[in-house]
Amino acid sequence: MRRKDVLDLDDFAPDEIREVLETTVAMKEVLARPIKRVPPLRGKTIVNCFYEASTRTRVSFELAAKNLSADVVNISSTGSSVEKGETLVDTTRTLQALGADMVVMRHGASGAPYVVARELSACVINGGDGWHAHPTQALLDLFTVQSRLGRLEGRRIAIVGDVLHSRVARSAAWGFATMGASVVLCAPPTLLPAGFDRAVLTGLRAKGLPTVVAGTPSVELTHHLDAALHDADVVMALRVQRERMDSGLLPSLREYARAYGLTRDRVAKARFGAVVMHPGPMNEGVEIAPDVAYGGQSAVEEQVANGVAVRMAVMYLLAGGRGGAAV
Amino acid sequence: MDDPNDATLPQDGRAAKRILDAEGLRRALTRIAHEILERHGGTDDLVLVGMRRRGVPIARRLADLIGRFEGTAVDVGELDVTMYRDDLEMRGTRPSIQPSSLPRDLTDARVVLVDDVLYTGRTVRAALDALMSFGRASQVQLAVVVDRGHRELPIRADYVGKNLPTSRDENVEVRLIEVDGTDEVILIARPPARTA
């Protein structure tokens, strides 16, 4: 991989994604060893900047970095100079001065990691920014589907939930479409990002990639759940955040659950044996029924387990990119 | 049989010499298999661990030979040492890595590491480091097809197919049916850009 940063999958070529997925297989093997530590990032300092609440992503990045023998420093907005009003650029310069080799950033503002990446010579990994992107989550989703189904090309991926506010859905759409799968994003009309489908199709065309898979566009938006589930190989539920109720976008959680919640009957409308996924944390009984979340088709626990391996792969590959002539 | 104008030799004008042909390679491996058996006095707890990439098929062949002599199956593992290399920082992009696969926890195993060429010893150093993640072997030995000298670390082989004095300008290629479609060992005068 010849890049300095991983900010989103919109600028990834299929070969780059494939390289990450192949490296992830090797990292999974490392995680199965009696001693799960390998030395390729020995002597490197990785700073985890989490300006937004997170358990699984932060722990996942931290474990990944430690498994690769990096030194890890964690910064959160509480208890740091952010509380004193330090700006993002100031923080960035401090990180640089402290000798950070790699920065993982989770931030509530879309685009924040891009500002940091521009200011820093260190590698930057986007750990989720606002409503915009969450590339490592998308990569672990790609890996999970590939492990379950063997290949990504030609697959039909239904993503159901609050698509408008979901960085997971956006990055997943880019990732799956880049690998030749078709993605249908399904939400109540108030929670659909108008024009996002056209933006991705334009981007795919610019990368010279196909924009049609088996007769349907690589990315589609719909508010019809049955249409989205039809022929789906993968059904991914997104978290519905309670604060959306206050903004008037949804009448009530119960109404959402009735119209869009993934129940066993609804999953049965997808392909036989379709893979059920959720980026977590789950609102059981709202966007996903408990028997679906923990049923035989569910890959939710695999997603979490694969997260560490995928992030190890990204960190390993990224650490080599800076020495490359292209950067 | 030892015709240096054979089609498998480089056609780009580099001087090359065949050190072992298929029969010579077979004899060398047969001898190593006997030596391993003799020194271990049997196959109990014996694990042959091939270092990717050409060490793996060589380890399989040695295991087959030993299995045939003794009438028992011998465990074979595959080791990818890329992440343990000491020259990762010197390379532009990260080399691709493959999963390792060990047949058992190596605690109390008698391991014979297998590789094609022993040169600086740095790959073997990386392999020793990697092996430690799989348990505490009671013993680790090293078998190579060719020892070409120029060690940079205090490492030596326990079983050697062919000791071959070389200069640093030369390159030794062990070619195997499983990987290259032919069995032979070639000494090439000026190496291509990559290191052995």
Side-chain angles (χ1 to χ4, degrees):
Chain A
M1 205 152 77
R2 286 187 171 274
R3 56 168 63 236
K4 183 175 93 63
D5 311 302
V6 174
L7 300 173
D8 196 2
L9 297 188
D10 57 356
D11 62 348
F12 267 68
D15 276 348
E16 277 182 299
I17 293 179
R18 233 168 267 134
E19 187 181 13
V20 174
L21 301 182
E22 278 163 17
T23 306
T24 303
V25 176
M27 293 304 178
K28 281 206 76 160
E29 181 269 312
V30 169
L31 293 176
R33 292 181 190 176
I35 296 172
K36 303 169 196 1
R37 184 162 288 203
V38 286
L41 295 191
R42 202 164 41 184
K44 303 279 183 197
T45 301
I46 298 182
V47 181
N48 271 331
C49 290
F50 275 68
Y51 288 170
E52 215 184 54
S54 163
T55 309
R56 72 193 67 206
T57 306
R58 185 176 55 76
V59 171
S60 180
F61 270 113
E62 187 170 346
L63 281 175
K66 285 181 170 165
N67 289 340
L68 295 172
S69 303
D71 297 311
V72 185
V73 180
N74 290 310
I75 298 177
S76 60
S77 46
T78 53
S80 73
S81 289
V82 176
E83 284 188 332
K84 299 183 194 167
E86 189 180 62
T87 66
L88 193 58
V89 171
D90 285 341
T91 307
T92 301
R93 297 213 172 100
T94 307
L95 298 178
Q96 181 103 312
L98 289 171
D101 295 291
M102 204 179 278
V103 173
V104 180
M105 173 156 282
R106 155 75 59 104
H107 204 287
S110 301
Y114 287 73
V115 176
V116 174
R118 210 166 45 222
E119 292 289 320
L120 250 67
S121 60
C123 303
V124 176
I125 301 176
N126 184 357
D129 63 326
W131 303 350
H132 173 249
H134 196 351
T136 58
Q137 175 73 39
L139 287 166
L140 78 87
D141 291 338
L142 288 166
F143 182 81
T144 304
V145 172
Q146 185 175 276
S147 315
R148 278 277 182 119
L149 301 180
R151 65 176 163 81
L152 297 168
E153 207 185 333
R155 297 296 184 187
R156 178 80 167 158
I157 317 293
I159 302 180
V160 183
D162 181 1
V163 178
L164 180 63
H165 301 96
S166 176
R167 54 192 173 215
V168 172
R170 280 184 181 73
S171 286
W174 277 109
F176 281 107
T178 299
M179 297 312 285
S182 71
V183 180
V184 53
L185 300 163
C186 177
T190 51
L191 294 177
L192 272 177
F196 177 69
D197 50 343
R198 285 192 301 279
V200 178
L201 295 177
T202 306
L204 291 174
R205 223 168 278 130
K207 286 200 260 184
L209 298 172
T211 55
V212 175
V213 177
T216 57
S218 296
V219 178
E220 289 177 284
L221 304 178
T222 181
H223 58 270
H224 294 294
L225 183 57
D226 284 354
L229 293 174
H230 179 70
D231 271 350
D233 298 291
V234 174
V235 183
M236 187 191 299
L238 300 172
R239 184 176 147 76
V240 176
Q241 284 160 331
R242 286 161 204 281
E243 51 268 32
R244 305 295 168 230
M245 305 311 125
D246 308 331
S247 55
L249 292 168
L250 281 178
S252 75
L253 282 182
R254 195 190 298 181
E255 182 160 335
Y256 177 84
R258 203 178 301 145
Y260 290 94
L262 286 186
T263 58
R264 212 187 313 186
D265 290 346
R266 288 205 169 118
V267 171
K269 290 177 182 165
R271 284 247 166 94
F272 180 75
V275 182
V276 173
M277 299 170 70
H278 191 298
M282 294 188 281
N283 293 314
E284 286 169 34
V286 183
E287 70 263 8
I288 191 165
D291 58 340
V292 174
Y294 300 103
Q297 287 169 252
S298 168
V300 174
E301 273 176 39
E302 271 167 74
Q303 286 177 276
V304 179
N306 290 338
V308 177
V310 162
R311 289 173 179 120
M312 285 169 75
V314 169
M315 286 173 169
Y316 168 78
L317 293 170
L318 209 52
R322 278 201 302 163
V327 178
Chain B
M1 215 178 233
D2 256 342
D3 176 10
N5 294 319
D6 190 282
T8 56
L9 296 177
Q11 299 297 303
D12 53 8
R14 286 178 294 155
K17 197 173 144 198
R18 182 179 287 119
I19 303 303
L20 290 175
D21 59 11
E23 192 56 22
L25 183 62
R26 191 189 60 76
R27 282 198 202 101
L29 293 181
T30 306
R31 178 172 50 76
I32 292 175
H34 280 296
E35 285 176 2
I36 292 173
L37 258 181
E38 189 180 348
R39 272 206 246 164
H40 283 263
T43 59
D44 289 350
D45 290 323
L46 180 64
V47 182
L48 302 184
V49 177
M51 288 152 67
R52 279 185 200 278
R53 152 170 179 196
R54 287 180 178 74
V56 174
I58 298 169
R60 290 233 174 77
R61 289 193 201 182
L62 289 172
D64 279 350
L65 288 165
I66 295 171
R68 232 181 295 154
F69 303 150
E70 291 292 289
T72 57
V74 178
D75 284 336
V76 180
E78 303 181 7
L79 198 62
D80 185 295
V81 306
T82 310
M83 284 193 281
Y84 296 84
R85 297 192 67 96
D86 58 10
D87 59 355
L88 279 179
E89 288 297 308
M90 291 146 69
R91 292 160 176 248
T93 53
R94 289 295 165 104
S96 71
I97 49 176
Q98 304 286 323
S100 296
S101 127
L102 275 293
R104 47 167 283 191
D105 184 320
L106 294 183
T107 302
D108 296 332
R110 293 184 296 170
V111 173
V112 179
L113 268 175
V114 181
D115 205 0
D116 54 351
V117 179
L118 178 58
Y119 182 25
T120 62
R122 288 180 188 270
T123 312
V124 175
R125 199 282 310 158
L128 289 170
D129 213 357
L131 276 184
M132 302 306 154
S133 301
F134 296 93
R136 185 181 183 277
S138 63
Q139 181 186 44
V140 181
Q141 294 184 325
L142 175 64
V144 296
V145 175
V146 175
D147 180 350
R148 61 167 293 192
H150 303 288
R151 214 77 74 238
E152 294 170 2
L153 294 171
I155 279 167
R156 60 161 183 77
D158 298 275
Y159 311 98
V160 179
K162 177 97 181 161
N163 279 298
L164 186 65
T166 59
S167 88
R168 284 179 184 272
D169 293 338
E170 290 169 319
N171 199 27
V172 178
E173 289 185 10
V174 174
R175 297 174 180 168
L176 302 168
I177 296 267
E178 297 92 326
V179 181
D180 312 285
T182 174
D183 268 357
E184 60 188 355
V185 177
I186 304 286
L187 179 68
I188 300 173
R190 228 179 308 125
R194 70 181 184 90
T195 53

